[in-house]
mmCIF file of all heavy atoms in Angstrom:
data_model
loop_
_atom_site.group_PDB
_atom_site.id
_atom_site.type_symbol
_atom_site.label_atom_id
_atom_site.label_comp_id
_atom_site.label_asym_id
_atom_site.label_seq_id
_atom_site.Cartn_x
_atom_site.Cartn_y
_atom_site.Cartn_z
ATOM 1 N N ALA J 170 -187.776 -119.993 -187.395
ATOM 2 C CA ALA J 170 -189.174 -119.859 -187.009
ATOM 3 C C ALA J 170 -189.614 -121.108 -186.284
ATOM 4 O O ALA J 170 -189.045 -122.187 -186.479
ATOM 5 C CB ALA J 170 -190.037 -119.660 -188.249
ATOM 6 N N ALA J 171 -190.580 -120.969 -185.421
ATOM 7 C CA ALA J 171 -191.135 -122.117 -184.725
ATOM 8 C C ALA J 171 -192.635 -122.095 -184.905
ATOM 9 O O ALA J 171 -193.284 -121.083 -184.683
ATOM 10 C CB ALA J 171 -190.770 -122.063 -183.252
ATOM 11 N N LEU J 172 -193.167 -123.199 -185.357
ATOM 12 C CA LEU J 172 -194.615 -123.270 -185.562
ATOM 13 C C LEU J 172 -195.216 -124.086 -184.434
ATOM 14 O O LEU J 172 -194.814 -125.232 -184.214
ATOM 15 C CB LEU J 172 -194.921 -123.941 -186.904
ATOM 16 C CG LEU J 172 -194.495 -123.166 -188.138
ATOM 17 C CD1 LEU J 172 -194.634 -124.040 -189.351
ATOM 18 C CD2 LEU J 172 -195.320 -121.909 -188.272
ATOM 19 N N MET J 173 -196.158 -123.496 -183.726
ATOM 20 C CA MET J 173 -196.845 -124.231 -182.674
ATOM 21 C C MET J 173 -198.037 -124.941 -183.298
ATOM 22 O O MET J 173 -198.850 -124.318 -183.971
ATOM 23 C CB MET J 173 -197.328 -123.276 -181.583
ATOM 24 C CG MET J 173 -196.224 -122.757 -180.708
ATOM 25 S SD MET J 173 -195.658 -124.014 -179.605
ATOM 26 C CE MET J 173 -196.555 -123.556 -178.156
ATOM 27 N N ASP J 174 -198.066 -126.242 -183.098
ATOM 28 C CA ASP J 174 -199.192 -126.984 -183.656
ATOM 29 C C ASP J 174 -199.700 -127.874 -182.535
ATOM 30 O O ASP J 174 -199.220 -128.984 -182.349
ATOM 31 C CB ASP J 174 -198.712 -127.787 -184.862
ATOM 32 C CG ASP J 174 -199.824 -128.638 -185.432
ATOM 33 O OD1 ASP J 174 -201.000 -128.334 -185.137
ATOM 34 O OD2 ASP J 174 -199.512 -129.593 -186.160
ATOM 35 N N GLY J 175 -200.636 -127.376 -181.774
ATOM 36 C CA GLY J 175 -201.108 -128.095 -180.603
ATOM 37 C C GLY J 175 -199.969 -128.184 -179.612
ATOM 38 O O GLY J 175 -199.377 -127.183 -179.237
ATOM 39 N N GLY J 176 -199.620 -129.420 -179.184
ATOM 40 C CA GLY J 176 -198.506 -129.578 -178.260
ATOM 41 C C GLY J 176 -197.171 -129.667 -178.983
ATOM 42 O O GLY J 176 -196.124 -129.562 -178.367
ATOM 43 N N ASN J 177 -197.194 -129.899 -180.291
ATOM 44 C CA ASN J 177 -195.943 -130.100 -181.019
ATOM 45 C C ASN J 177 -195.369 -128.777 -181.506
ATOM 46 O O ASN J 177 -196.099 -127.842 -181.787
ATOM 47 C CB ASN J 177 -196.172 -130.999 -182.231
ATOM 48 C CG ASN J 177 -196.681 -132.350 -181.813
ATOM 49 O OD1 ASN J 177 -196.400 -132.786 -180.696
ATOM 50 N ND2 ASN J 177 -197.456 -132.982 -182.671
ATOM 51 N N ILE J 178 -194.052 -128.791 -181.618
ATOM 52 C CA ILE J 178 -193.391 -127.604 -182.144
ATOM 53 C C ILE J 178 -192.654 -128.007 -183.407
ATOM 54 O O ILE J 178 -191.948 -129.020 -183.423
ATOM 55 C CB ILE J 178 -192.391 -127.024 -181.133
ATOM 56 C CG1 ILE J 178 -193.147 -126.602 -179.873
ATOM 57 C CG2 ILE J 178 -191.658 -125.846 -181.713
ATOM 58 C CD1 ILE J 178 -192.252 -126.112 -178.791
ATOM 59 N N ASP J 179 -192.857 -127.261 -184.435
ATOM 60 C CA ASP J 179 -192.153 -127.522 -185.689
ATOM 61 C C ASP J 179 -191.132 -126.417 -185.872
ATOM 62 O O ASP J 179 -191.484 -125.250 -185.981
ATOM 63 C CB ASP J 179 -193.165 -127.524 -186.828
ATOM 64 C CG ASP J 179 -192.648 -128.346 -187.987
ATOM 65 O OD1 ASP J 179 -191.598 -128.990 -187.806
ATOM 66 O OD2 ASP J 179 -193.269 -128.324 -189.057
ATOM 67 N N LEU J 180 -189.849 -126.797 -185.916
ATOM 68 C CA LEU J 180 -188.805 -125.770 -185.998
ATOM 69 C C LEU J 180 -188.341 -125.608 -187.432
ATOM 70 O O LEU J 180 -188.281 -126.576 -188.187
ATOM 71 C CB LEU J 180 -187.601 -126.164 -185.147
ATOM 72 C CG LEU J 180 -187.766 -126.129 -183.640
ATOM 73 C CD1 LEU J 180 -186.481 -126.553 -182.996
ATOM 74 C CD2 LEU J 180 -188.157 -124.741 -183.180
ATOM 75 N N GLN J 181 -188.027 -124.390 -187.781
ATOM 76 C CA GLN J 181 -187.393 -124.160 -189.086
ATOM 77 C C GLN J 181 -185.996 -123.652 -188.834
ATOM 78 O O GLN J 181 -185.799 -122.614 -188.218
ATOM 79 C CB GLN J 181 -188.203 -123.132 -189.872
ATOM 80 C CG GLN J 181 -189.329 -123.782 -190.638
ATOM 81 C CD GLN J 181 -189.943 -122.848 -191.624
ATOM 82 O OE1 GLN J 181 -189.539 -121.703 -191.745
ATOM 83 N NE2 GLN J 181 -190.940 -123.333 -192.332
ATOM 84 N N LEU J 182 -185.032 -124.423 -189.303
ATOM 85 C CA LEU J 182 -183.637 -124.041 -189.067
ATOM 86 C C LEU J 182 -183.092 -123.311 -190.276
ATOM 87 O O LEU J 182 -183.513 -123.539 -191.403
ATOM 88 C CB LEU J 182 -182.787 -125.286 -188.805
ATOM 89 C CG LEU J 182 -183.164 -126.091 -187.563
ATOM 90 C CD1 LEU J 182 -182.270 -127.298 -187.441
ATOM 91 C CD2 LEU J 182 -183.067 -125.242 -186.330
ATOM 92 N N SER J 183 -182.167 -122.464 -190.010
ATOM 93 C CA SER J 183 -181.560 -121.676 -191.081
ATOM 94 C C SER J 183 -180.696 -122.574 -191.972
ATOM 95 O O SER J 183 -179.972 -123.450 -191.482
ATOM 96 C CB SER J 183 -180.733 -120.572 -190.451
ATOM 97 O OG SER J 183 -179.952 -119.963 -191.418
#
Side-chain angles (χ1 to χ4, degrees):
Chain J
L172 293 170
M173 286 286 261
D174 177 19
N177 299 333
I178 298 176
D179 205 7
L180 290 180
Q181 274 192 0
L182 297 179
S183 169

